[in-house]
Amino acid sequence: MNENYDTPKCESLVETVKKSLRTSDSIGIERCMQCGACTSSCPAARYSDYNPRNVMKRVKENDWSVIEDKTIWNCFYCYTCNLRCPRNNSPSQVAQVLRQMAINKGIGIERLSVLFEYPESFAKLGISQMPAPYIGQMEEDLGEQWQYLRDNLEDIREELGLGPLAIENERGEIKALLKGIGFEDRFARLKEMAAEGGEDE
């Protein structure tokens, strides 16, 4: 996979992260003062070993091994860190870049493969759907009401005066957009890497 697809590698990790399409122009990585506001407000840090302050520190210290750290996959992009940061940093954006860099090197692919039903559904129907492995967890977490909604969604939508859930795609706009951004080739490569058994270092 082309490592320069959206994150051209620069001399320093800070510059590499800043040059990524995933980071905003105003991100203040160099201004990080290690106050810990990001970590103290991070839901993922509360329930896992993920530590956004430490990730930012490692990026500033040019520690390229951070892309091999399994904890970067625990960030779920709530952006609370960005809201709390007095320096306008976004460890969430940084985690997105680090994950892409990991994927480009074949690291963590199996963590991504469980989500493959999302893009497959989007390419086919124009909407995403919940991957099958998560359905049982949703039933456990949300109970009978969620199961009722899932089983009767079409009837509920009709009762509310809503149209069919699937988007009509007669003119192929979605497929044209996905083709234009190189989605098919990248997704095919990700599936190939998953089948080959990407590393999880």
Side-chain angles (χ1 to χ4, degrees), residues 65-133:
S65 72
V66 70
I67 68 169
E68 300 172 11
D69 189 331
K70 293 179 183 181
T71 68
I72 64 172
W73 297 89
N74 292 341
C75 169
F76 47 89
Y77 306 159
C78 69
Y79 282 81
T80 303
C81 54
N82 190 199
L83 290 172
R84 298 288 175 87
C85 179
R87 300 292 189 177
N88 197 36
N89 264 315
S90 180
S92 178
Q93 288 182 12
V94 173
Q96 291 175 49
V97 176
L98 296 177
R99 287 184 192 182
Q100 184 60 57
M101 292 171 68
I103 290 165
N104 290 344
K105 293 188 174 298
I107 300 169
I109 298 297
E110 70 292 332
R111 294 172 184 269
L112 201 60
S113 61
V114 72
L115 303 173
F116 281 175
E117 288 179 51
Y118 277 119
E120 286 172 344
S121 172
F122 189 71
K124 182 179 178 182
L125 303 172
I127 58 172
S128 61
Q129 69 181 24
M130 181 174 296

Side-chain angles (χ1 to χ4, degrees), residues 141-158:
D141 291 346
L142 303 178
E144 293 179 6
Q145 290 182 335
W146 184 84
Q147 183 64 47
Y148 176 82
L149 175 67
R150 181 169 172 264
D151 293 343
N152 299 282
L153 185 58
E154 291 302 321
D155 293 338
I156 293 169
R157 289 181 65 84
E158 185 177 346

Side-chain angles (χ1 to χ4, degrees), residues 42-79:
C42 175
R46 188 173 304 148
Y47 296 104
S48 76
D49 292 334
Y50 177 61
N51 186 325
R53 184 197 65 79
N54 186 50
V55 169
M56 296 300 293
K57 181 176 185 286
R58 292 174 71 182
V59 169
K60 285 184 68 177
E61 291 176 347
N62 210 34
D63 180 0
W64 292 83
S65 72
V66 70
I67 68 169
E68 300 172 11
D69 189 331
K70 293 179 183 181
T71 68
I72 64 172
W73 297 89
N74 292 341
C75 169
F76 47 89
Y77 306 159
C78 69
Y79 282 81

Side-chain angles (χ1 to χ4, degrees), residues 1-9 101 104-105:
M1 187 169 289
N2 182 2
E3 291 185 24
N4 290 322
Y5 175 77
D6 65 2
T7 308
K9 187 171 181 179
M101 292 171 68
N104 290 344
K105 293 188 174 298

Side-chain angles (χ1 to χ4, degrees), residues 1-3 8 15 18-20 25 33 59 93 108 125 131-132 164 180-182 186 194:
M1 187 169 289
N2 182 2
E3 291 185 24
E15 281 303 307
K18 287 174 64 177
K19 293 284 185 184
S20 173
D25 292 338
M33 56 186 183
V59 169
Q93 288 182 12
L125 303 172
I181 63 171
R186 283 179 54 80

